[in-house]
Amino acid sequence: MRKVKVAATQMACKWNTARNLTKAEDLIKGAASAGAQIILLQELFETPYFCHQEKYKYFELATPLNENPVIARLSFLAKKLAVVLPVSFFERYGNTFFNSLVVIDADGKVLDVYRKTHIPAGHNYEEKFYFSPGDTGFKVWKTRYGRIGAGICWDQWFPETARILTLMGAEIIFYPTAIGSEPILKRDSQPHWQRTIQGHSAANLIPVVVSNRIGTEIDETQMTFYGTSFITDQFGDILKQADRKSEDFIVAELDLDEANKTRRDWGVFRDRRPEMYRKLLSM
């Protein structure tokens, strides 16, 4: 059996990048000490979630991948701890800006970049102001501890994301996210959010790891993020879940061979009818 321990972290972020990075590193070290081999940080963890305001000055936060000092520092840490780190960052590529993610393998090597496919626009989630739609397509990375796929926040609401990543050979799906207050919807979206992701896990018979930030952030408007980072098994059952307010990490063990066997035995992928799904190619 191929067993791997995965972790999701959650923390509050302030306008002090050095402090945010130190907290992220401390959470990574704690999770690694607890046996975690793949450790997920939340979306855009270097700063507060600046996307709830449209301000040109925040474009200055973006960096090219090969010039990002945080990725360089986490690469060193990944090698030291022999852990895999999916890392979310604000990418500048020429004149274009992306909400991006790289995977750092356990030897410290920075693997290929993924650029967020689905870009939201709405009160407190003004991402279309900052980010172009991703041009990489979905990505699956072969790491020391297994083949992993990732979507970024809004990607997690689309069943196509999880299905394509599973078809591409992912054995675990990771979602770094930033979600909380819904001032227009005027409801607590947490249960709906969680059920949606559990459904993707169950429908594709694949474990999922989700990291969400916590804390209240104020920038003309106010957002409170509800944490509750969680890990599912291949049936969508919650193995571990954090609370809404604590800076913490959670760790769970996954049996990748058993999950692969489940996908084979259940017959969902055997019985797919791609030729019948043409409607998906239209709006």
Side-chain angles (χ1 to χ4, degrees):
M1 293 183 180
R2 285 187 304 132
K3 293 187 177 181
V4 60
K5 285 190 175 182
V6 297
T9 69
Q10 60 181 42
M11 66 185 202
C13 297
K14 305 295 183 183
W15 285 110
N16 184 332
T17 300
R19 177 58 182 150
N20 294 337
L21 179 56
T22 297
K23 286 201 291 185
E25 289 179 322
D26 288 344
L27 288 167
I28 291 168
K29 291 174 185 175
S33 294
Q37 297 158 296
I38 310 176
I39 304 166
L40 180 64
L41 296 166
Q42 65 209 37
E43 182 186 24
L44 300 172
F45 66 92
E46 296 178 54
T47 65
Y49 180 72
F50 54 87
C51 305
H52 64 109
Q53 291 290 316
E54 295 185 1
K55 295 185 177 181
Y56 290 105
K57 68 179 183 178
Y58 291 147
F59 284 104
E60 298 171 11
L61 298 171
T63 58
L65 171 56
N66 60 2
E67 297 177 18
N68 187 302
V70 172
I71 290 174
R73 187 162 154 179
L74 291 178
S75 173
F76 175 82
L77 183 63
K79 183 176 182 178
K80 179 180 178 181
L81 300 176
V83 297
V84 173
L85 301 175
V87 178
S88 166
F89 71 106
F90 186 11
E91 181 187 13
R92 176 168 61 84
Y93 185 78
N95 295 312
T96 311
F97 297 81
F98 296 102
N99 188 337
S100 298
L101 176 145
V102 292
V103 171
I104 304 174
D105 208 349
D107 60 0
K109 183 178 179 181
V110 178
L111 305 182
D112 202 9
V113 67
Y114 166 66
R115 294 169 177 155
K116 186 172 180 176
T117 300
H118 305 96
I119 309 298
H123 198 74
N124 279 3
Y125 300 95
E126 302 289 352
E127 294 197 18
K128 278 186 166 67
F129 180 78
Y130 296 100
F131 310 126
S132 293
D135 61 352
T136 60
F138 297 106
K139 296 280 183 177
V140 171
W141 298 266
K142 184 178 180 181
T143 74
R144 180 179 298 184
Y145 304 117
R147 296 185 304 277
I148 69 173
I152 303 172
C153 201
W154 193 228
D155 287 335
Q156 69 202 354
W157 290 91
F158 294 83
E160 296 86 352
T161 302
R163 177 52 54 94
I164 290 171
L165 289 173
T166 310
L167 287 171
M168 291 175 66
E171 297 176 296
I172 314 167
I173 295 175
F174 292 82
Y175 291 119
T177 191
I179 188 168
S181 304
E182 300 285 356
I184 301 300
L185 299 177
K186 295 183 179 179
R187 64 176 296 161
D188 177 10
S189 63
Q190 194 282 334
H192 179 199
W193 167 75
Q194 183 170 315
R195 286 193 300 268
T196 297
I197 298 167
Q198 286 182 263
H200 298 331
S201 171
N204 291 286
L205 297 145
I206 190 168
V208 170
V209 182
V210 185
S211 171
N212 186 29
R213 67 175 62 206
I214 61 165
T216 297
E217 299 177 8
I218 302 173
D219 186 355
E220 296 183 25
T221 58
Q222 177 175 302
M223 288 190 70
T224 299
F225 298 91
Y226 47 61
T228 60
S229 303
F230 64 92
I231 301 168
T232 74
D233 64 12
Q234 67 267 29
F235 300 105
D237 287 330
I238 300 292
L239 298 177
K240 290 288 178 67
Q241 180 151 18
D243 66 24
R244 286 178 175 247
K245 295 183 178 180
S246 301
E247 292 191 326
D248 202 0
F249 63 84
I250 52 173
V251 178
E253 185 174 72
L254 305 174
D255 187 332
L256 299 187
D257 284 340
E258 184 62 26
N260 288 337
K261 182 176 181 295
T262 302
R263 281 192 296 282
R264 181 199 71 188
D265 293 353
W266 206 252
V268 170
F269 291 90
R270 177 197 64 205
D271 296 337
R272 290 182 67 250
R273 296 288 307 282
E275 73 279 8
M276 303 300 291
Y277 307 151
R278 294 182 185 274
K279 190 64 178 177
L280 291 174
L281 298 177
S282 71
M283 296 297 285

